[in-house]
Amino acid sequence: MKKLIVATRGSRLALAQTHIVCRLLEEAGVETEIRTITTAGDRDRIHALVKIGGRGIFVREIERELLSGEADIAVHSAKDLPYQLASGLVIAGTPSQADPRDALVLLKERKLEAGSVVGTGSPRRIREISRVLPELVFRDIRGNVTTRLHKLERGEYDAIVLAMAGIQRLALDMEQFQIRPLSTEQVIPAGCQGIIGVECRQKDRELVRLLQQISDPETWRRFQWERQLFTSMKVDCSRPVGIHCRLLKSGRMELLAMVDGKRARRLGMEKEGKALCASLKEELYDRK
């Protein structure tokens, strides 16, 4: 196979995730070259994401590189994917997932108290963390992981919310910080959080097969169920939405989801996953 051009955002986390994909491809005997794209979400570091485009703001310009033939594959944080991909494109690969949980991050000497200011612009995180810790105050924050940590160090916030997956993949020195992971039951993550999605043109069948080859089977299954539920909801990041699937023993799985603060749970056999997703969505959207 020819050398593959891999499109990605230029952030440190995006590049770390892209290097994971490139390493797997190179282990499969395929040469790669990274092409960084500056998206609308990268250009505007001031306004809240919900005000400048929401889900898809980190994806659409990268997808255009695939559609134009300038790139062969694209690497995304799967949680950033809009419910509908550009026509003709498909997520064909998901390398091994990282920790899907959210975490509160504080300086070591700090304590969370009533009125403590927490940095996050996510309606989901605000709704879910407020349910567990109602005494906290939330203020919007933008920037990559290291930028947010610097703002925390400068005292602009008492705590910030980060994805555990980002902390892990960046291999940051977190010695001066407290990391308080929030269980997926306490705070339901964004759908597909901690999963890398590798996108390509659907017609490139050889490439689709290659990306399936570098996928982790369990991660792929979790991606499929969370993605199915999310795409059926057709919501964007202006509304608080959380989705998480846990694959259990003996072919069973658990689905947790939240929309606008309303939560629902399903436990059943994975082979009945479509029915579980449909039933869970019906409960979430029942306004009675």
Side-chain angles (χ1 to χ4, degrees):
M1 182 176 282
K2 66 169 188 174
K3 178 169 71 174
L4 296 178
I5 306 300
V6 184
T8 178
R9 294 171 60 202
S11 74
R12 186 175 168 187
L13 179 56
L15 289 170
Q17 294 180 156
T18 302
H19 286 306
I20 291 171
V21 174
C22 289
R23 185 167 61 250
L24 290 169
L25 289 169
E26 286 159 10
E27 287 172 0
V30 180
E31 189 180 356
T32 62
E33 178 184 322
I34 296 174
R35 179 184 178 91
T36 58
I37 309 298
T38 302
T39 69
D42 297 310
R43 288 190 292 272
D44 188 334
R45 296 293 184 87
I46 299 173
H47 299 97
L49 293 179
V50 295
K51 295 180 180 179
I52 59 174
R55 272 189 182 258
I57 196 167
F58 296 118
V59 174
R60 293 306 187 198
E61 286 161 283
I62 295 175
E63 286 189 323
R64 284 199 284 272
E65 297 293 306
L66 293 179
L67 294 171
S68 69
E70 294 295 320
D72 301 297
I73 65 174
V75 177
H76 306 287
S77 292
K79 72 181 181 67
D80 291 336
L81 295 169
Y83 66 81
Q84 187 170 29
L85 301 179
S87 179
L89 301 182
V90 63
I91 299 297
T94 53
S96 293
Q97 62 190 308
D99 190 331
R101 295 175 297 172
D102 287 311
L104 287 165
V105 180
L106 304 77
L107 290 170
K108 273 205 169 166
E109 66 274 12
R110 298 300 289 268
K111 294 181 180 180
L112 282 180
E113 302 171 331
S116 288
V117 177
V118 178
T120 178
S122 163
R124 172 190 62 81
R125 285 170 168 165
I126 294 170
R127 182 65 70 96
E128 285 285 270
I129 296 172
S130 292
R131 188 180 57 81
V132 181
L133 299 166
E135 69 276 15
L136 300 180
V137 175
F138 296 89
R139 197 168 75 216
D140 190 50
I141 188 171
R142 288 294 312 279
N144 58 33
V145 172
T146 50
T147 297
R148 294 180 189 212
L149 288 171
H150 289 323
K151 291 181 178 182
L152 180 60
E153 288 179 272
R154 291 197 298 266
E156 296 179 32
Y157 304 86
D158 298 305
I160 60 174
V161 188
L162 295 177
M164 286 294 296
I167 296 171
Q168 290 175 345
R169 288 185 173 135
L170 287 170
L172 297 171
D173 178 3
M174 300 293 285
E175 182 63 28
Q176 64 180 310
F177 301 105
Q178 303 174 51
I179 302 173
R180 301 186 185 178
L182 300 157
S183 73
T184 55
E185 288 78 18
Q186 288 177 302
V187 174
I188 301 175
C192 304
Q193 184 159 296
I195 295 177
I196 299 169
V198 191
E199 189 176 28
C200 69
R201 293 176 289 271
Q202 193 166 16
K203 66 181 181 181
D204 293 343
R205 302 310 303 170
E206 184 183 3
L207 192 46
V208 169
R209 286 191 293 271
L210 174 64
L211 296 180
Q212 290 171 341
Q213 179 184 324
I214 68 166
S215 289
D216 173 69
E218 184 169 322
T219 303
W220 178 254
R221 285 158 57 206
R222 184 190 145 214
F223 171 79
Q224 291 293 315
W225 292 123
E226 293 183 18
R227 185 81 181 144
Q228 175 165 320
L229 184 54
F230 175 73
T231 56
S232 72
M233 291 177 175
K234 293 183 169 56
V235 291
D236 60 32
C237 73
S238 66
R239 294 174 67 188
V241 178
I243 299 171
H244 185 63
C245 172
R246 283 200 308 139
L247 299 170
L248 307 172
K249 294 179 180 179
S250 304
R252 295 172 68 77
M253 75 175 187
E254 179 187 51
L255 281 170
L256 298 170
M258 180 276 293
V259 177
D260 295 332
K262 185 174 182 179
R263 289 170 142 237
R265 176 179 178 268
R266 290 293 182 276
L267 182 66
M269 300 303 293
E270 189 176 355
K271 63 184 180 182
E272 299 166 351
K274 288 184 179 180
L276 293 174
C277 286
S279 171
L280 192 150
K281 178 190 171 186
E282 184 178 359
E283 179 180 342
L284 287 172
Y285 281 83
D286 181 1
R287 300 303 182 188
K288 293 180 182 179

